[in-house]
Amino acid sequence: MNDRFLRACRREPVDRTPVWFMRQAGRYMAEYRALRAKHSMLELCRTPELALEVTLQPIKALAVDAAILFADILLPLEPMGAPFEFAAGEGPVIHTPIRSRAQIDALRVCDPHEGLGYVLEAIKLIRRELDGKVPLIGFAGAPFTLASYLIEGGKSAHFVDTKTLMHADPAAWNALMEKLSTVVSRYLVAQVEAGAQCLQLFDSWVGALSPGDYRTHVMPHVARILRDAAATGVPVIHFGTGTATLLELQRDAGGTVIGVDWRTPMDDARRRLGDGVALQGNLDPVTLFAPFPVVEAAARDVLRRMEGAPGHIFNLGHGILPKTPVDTVKRLADLVHEASERR
Ligand code: CP3
C-alpha cells in the first residue's frame, strides 16, 4: 500500500512528499462533467455506486497519494431537517434558513446510520475498490461553516445574520453549535467505522471571525469534535481559510494536521505551530491557471519552505477551481513527487 500520506500525517519519514488536492474530483475533469450531465450533484452523492465512480476519477487520472470521499459538507443538513439544493450557478440554497430559537430547537440530532447511510455505504464500496492502493479520507464540515449556510441560506459575503445570532443571542448560538457538533462528531466516527483512514474537518469560512470570537463562540465546539475524531485513532486534518490570525487557536483546538491556506507561508506556519502537528498546503489554487513554469516555481517554493521538516502533505491552499487545466494538475502531482524524492 502507498502509505506516504498517512506516514506524513504522523510526521514519520517518507520517500517523497505526499500530495492530494481538495476538490480533486469535480468540474475541471471531463469525466466528472460527463456524469454530471446525466445526474444532479445530490444524485451523485446519494448513490453509492456513483459516489464511488467520482471518487476514483482523480485516482485514475492523477498520481495522488490519497482519495477523498465524494460527498459534500452540507449533506447532514437534510436529515437534521434543513433541506437544500445546489442551484445552477448559485451554489447551495437552503430552503428555509434557520434564524430563530424555535427553528434551532426543532433541528434533529440525527443518527448518521439513518440519515447518511448512503455515505457510509459509499465508503465501504470505495475501500473495497481501492484495495489498499491509496488511503481514503472522510470529511465533514465544521459547525461554524455549516451554521453559516444554515443561517444565511447560502454563500455569504459578510456573515451578517450568522455573526448577529452569535453576538446577540449566545445561548441560541450555543444550542445550534451543540446540535451541529453532535451530528458532525457522530458522523465522523461512523465514517471511520465504515472504513475512512483519515478525516478532514472543513472550517472553510472560519477566517471571517476575529480570534476573540473564535475562542469564545466556536473553539470549544470544534475542540469537542476533534477530540471525538482523534479517539478513533485515525489522523485528523483541521482545515480553514483566511486563518492567518487563527492558526495557533486552531492547533490548540486539535488535529493531527493543520491545513494552511496560501495567505500564510508554510515556513511561517511551521515556526508558529511547532513540532506537535503536521502541515498540509498550500499553493494558491489560482496559480494553476498560469503557464506551467510559474506553477512549478510556486510549487518548489512551497516544498523549499517545508524542506527538512517531517510531516508535510502537499495540497492547494483551498479546493481546485472549475476550469483549472487538468494537465496542469497532473503535472503538478508528478512534480511534487520528483522534486521531493529523498535518495
Ligand atoms: O474534495 C473533494 O473532491 C471531495 C468532494 C467535496 C465537494 N465539496 C464536492 C462538491 C468536498 C470535500 C466538498 C466540501 C465543501 N462543500 C466545502 C468545504 C470545502 C471548500 O471548498 O471550502 C464547502 C464550503 C461546500 C459547500 C458547497 N458545495 C458549495 C459552496 C458548492 C457550490 C460551489 C461550487 O463549486 O459550485 C458545493 C457544490 C459542490 N461540492 C460541487 C462539488 C464537486 C460542485 C457541484 C456541481 O457539480 O455542480
Side-chain angles (χ1 to χ4, degrees), residues 275-314:
D275 288 339
V277 286
L279 299 183
Q280 173 172 284
N282 78 340
L283 194 63
D284 182 343
V286 176
T287 309
L288 274 59
F289 291 90
F292 197 74
V294 178
V295 180
E296 171 163 357
R300 286 186 186 276
D301 183 62
V302 170
L303 289 170
R304 184 185 55 74
R305 290 175 190 275
M306 288 301 287
E307 209 170 322
H312 179 210
I313 297 138
F314 192 98

Side-chain angles (χ1 to χ4, degrees), residues 23-24 27 32 36 41 71-73 86 149 202 204 318:
R23 292 282 183 98
Q24 64 190 14
R27 282 167 298 183
Y32 176 83
R36 271 287 277 117
M41 167 69 186
D72 196 89
I73 61 164
F86 292 106
Y149 284 102
F202 283 94
S204 302
H318 201 172

